[in-house]
């Protein structure tokens, strides 16, 4: 079998059912050995913990075809560790890191014909997730769980690909102080749906959330961390305990320092100082680096020097270096690339 007959370069960020997915069940205090299945449906109790009390967490990572034709994943061990941390915070059983990576590898291999070809601009998005599957009616953790990994070929997260977007400062909060903002819990996204639909209805691509305690500091967007470039061309990265520890952001910090020789400052960033920055980008697995052209803060516009047509020069260098590493054009730091063999 060869690659599927898909118009790869016109894919958006959507779900397409692929051939196989990985499933493992947790019962009587242990995970079973897990297997691949063709069944894309899930059958659970009407009273399952996930349905009643949103006991679920997920991950997102991508597989790529490299320039020399290999299939690779980017840092799946970090997704495995983050899901481990999410599960602990949600009182769910942890799924072992090495088994997570193996499940990802099995899922990619079983759907290899859906991995978009090199140069198509698309990639295979993997969605590992876990949920409470047994019945709970009093508020408590479920006794049984399911871990699954499916995959779907995707294109750019934002329409227009690398074209700058306009974002708004949201009046809603994404994460409570001492809450769950730092883990990838489904509940964080459920409560962001009204905010994102509101932003879309007003013509904005995404929301910038402020820190819920003081509403003066930049946190992140609904699906990506934020990075800035200052007047000297160096990177400024908002720091907060209530944002998701993005693997893309952590990788970009290394890339900026070691590949590009930039100074990186990770610190609290006030909304009031953002007008001093030259470039802004949203970074994440789905977003890669999406440049921001303008922020709308309750009618006041904060414009970045790249304008609305193209990425600024520093974001472009970061983008080229990160995607160069992911697609095998540049040598990767030790352990960043998992080759699917
Ligand atoms: N922040 C949020 C809220 C996200 O949903 C994501 C996506 O996973 C990110 C940041 C980016 O994280 P990563 O780079 O690990 O994909
Ligand atoms: C990702 O980048 O993997 C995400 O999970 C962001 C969004 C699709 C929720």
């Amino acid at each position: 079998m060869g690659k599927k007959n898909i118009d790869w370069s016109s894919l958006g960020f959507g779900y397409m059912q692929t051939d196989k997915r990985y499933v493992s069940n947790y019962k009587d205090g242990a995970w079973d050995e897990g297997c691949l299945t063709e069944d894309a449906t899930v059958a659970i109790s009407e009273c399952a913990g996930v349905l009643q009390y949103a006991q679920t967490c997920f991950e997102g990572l991508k597989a790529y075809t490299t320039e020399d034709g290999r299939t690779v994943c980017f840092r799946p061990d970090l997704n495995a560790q983050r899901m481990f941390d999410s599960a602990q915070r949600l009182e769910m059983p942890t799924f072992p890191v090495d088994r997570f990576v193996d499940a990802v590898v099995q899922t990619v291999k079983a759907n290899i014909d859906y991995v978009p070809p090199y140069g198509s601009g698309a990639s295979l998005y993997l969605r590992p997730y876990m949920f409470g599957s047994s019945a709970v009616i009093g508020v408590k953790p479920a006794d049984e769980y399911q871990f699954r990994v499916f995959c779907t070929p995707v294109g750019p997260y934002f329409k227009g690909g690398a074209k700058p977007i306009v974002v708004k400062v949201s009046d809603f909060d994404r994460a409570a102080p001492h809450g769950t903002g730092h883990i990838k819990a489904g509940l964080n996204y459920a409560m962001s749906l009204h905010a994102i639909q509101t932003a879309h209805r007003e013509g904005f691509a995404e929301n910038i959330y402020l820190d819920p305690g003081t509403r003066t500091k930049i946190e992140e967007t609904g699906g990506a961390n934020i990075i800035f470039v200052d007047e000297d061309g160096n990177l400024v990265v908002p720091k907060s305990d209530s944002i998701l520890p993005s693997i893309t952001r952590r990788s970009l910090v290394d890339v900026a320092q070691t590949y590009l020789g930039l100074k990186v400052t990770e610190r609290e960033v006030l909304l009031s100082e953002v007008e001093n920055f030259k470039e802004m980008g949203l970074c994440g697995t789905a977003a890669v680096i999406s440049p921001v052209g303008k922020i709308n803060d309750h009618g006041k516009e904060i414009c970045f020097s790249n304008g609305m047509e193209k990425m600024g020069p520093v974001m472009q260098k970061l983008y080229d270096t990160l995607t160069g590493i992911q697609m095998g054009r540049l040598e990767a730091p030790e352990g960043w690339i998992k080759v699917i063999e």
Side-chain angles (χ1 to χ4, degrees):
M1 287 276 282
K3 292 283 175 201
K4 297 282 170 185
N5 185 18
I6 293 170
D7 184 4
W8 307 103
S9 51
S10 37
L11 286 174
F13 196 84
Y15 172 72
M16 175 189 294
Q17 190 177 313
T18 52
D19 293 343
K20 298 216 174 130
R21 67 278 306 129
Y22 180 90
V23 185
S24 178
N25 287 297
Y26 182 90
K27 199 176 170 172
D28 300 328
W31 289 105
D32 68 13
E33 63 190 14
C35 64
L36 291 166
T37 171
E38 287 181 5
D39 189 355
T41 60
V42 175
I44 48 176
S45 162
E46 63 183 352
C47 199
V50 60
L51 299 179
Q52 303 310 322
Y53 303 123
Q55 199 187 14
T56 178
C57 58
F58 68 99
E59 274 302 324
L61 69 161
K62 282 175 172 171
Y64 311 86
T65 306
T66 58
E67 191 173 30
D68 63 2
R70 291 171 306 155
T71 303
V72 300
C73 272
F74 186 68
R75 311 190 79 179
D77 52 322
L78 296 192
N79 294 94
Q81 184 59 51
R82 193 168 60 187
M83 190 172 216
F84 195 98
D85 299 341
S86 297
Q88 283 188 324
R89 177 65 176 79
L90 295 171
E91 294 292 335
M92 301 168 93
T94 52
F95 198 73
V97 166
D98 54 338
R99 284 202 57 193
F100 178 107
V101 174
D102 176 58
V104 165
V105 170
Q106 285 195 44
T107 309
V108 177
K109 271 191 186 167
N111 297 286
I112 202 82
D113 295 343
Y114 289 92
V115 184
Y118 176 76
S120 63
S123 52
L124 188 74
Y125 184 71
L126 288 130
R127 174 52 65 87
Y129 60 116
M130 192 200 290
F131 52 87
S133 52
S134 62
V136 281
I137 193 70
V139 178
K140 66 178 179 79
D143 292 325
E144 295 173 15
Y145 293 83
Q146 193 164 99
F147 169 86
R148 297 176 75 98
V149 185
F150 70 77
C151 63
T152 181
V154 295
Y157 190 62
F158 294 106
K159 281 193 208 90
K163 268 214 151 181
I165 54 173
V166 185
V167 296
K168 71 169 279 189
V169 176
S170 183
D171 290 320
F172 299 103
D173 292 327
R174 172 186 173 273
H178 315 292
T180 54
H182 61 298
I183 59 161
K184 213 158 162 60
L187 61 93
N188 292 340
Y189 299 82
M191 49 68 60
S192 76
L193 295 176
H194 180 59
I196 191 70
Q197 290 303 95
T198 304
H200 286 167
R201 281 191 282 270
E202 293 171 354
F204 302 108
E206 251 290 10
N207 283 300
I208 295 183
Y209 294 104
L210 301 178
D211 72 295
T214 70
R215 310 205 103 249
T216 57
K217 292 173 245 169
I218 300 284
E219 294 252 299
E220 61 172 327
T221 66
N225 278 183
I226 297 174
I227 52 176
F228 295 102
V229 175
D230 70 12
E231 284 160 325
D232 302 322
N234 288 314
L235 207 61
V236 179
V237 180
K239 195 172 173 176
S240 158
D241 290 341
S242 48
I243 64 177
L244 192 77
S246 158
I247 293 160
T248 314
R249 185 249 299 165
R250 287 182 273 159
S251 304
L252 285 170
V253 165
D254 281 0
V255 161
Q257 286 167 332
T258 35
Y259 286 69
L260 304 178
L262 301 181
K263 199 174 123 218
V264 179
T265 313
E266 297 189 64
R267 63 168 172 85
E268 291 185 337
V269 172
L270 294 171
L271 173 62
S272 60
E273 62 174 307
V274 165
E275 60 192 13
N276 302 325
F277 293 136
K278 280 170 82 176
E279 298 177 41
M280 170 174 169
L282 310 188
C283 67
T285 298
V288 193
I289 299 181
S290 300
V292 174
K294 278 195 277 211
I295 299 177
N296 186 303
D297 175 17
H298 302 89
K300 177 189 163 196
E301 288 198 332
I302 304 168
C303 301
F304 295 97
S305 59
N306 43 290
M308 290 306 299
E309 284 310 310
K310 58 176 182 20
M311 240 186 232
V314 179
M315 289 298 163
Q316 189 70 56
K317 270 194 218 155
L318 286 167
Y319 180 92
D320 291 344
T321 312
L322 179 71
T323 54
I325 291 169
Q326 291 167 333
M327 312 283 169
R329 292 187 295 268
L330 293 174
E331 194 170 337
E334 179 79 29
W336 280 24
I337 300 296
K338 172 87 189 162
V339 181
I340 313 289
E341 292 168 308

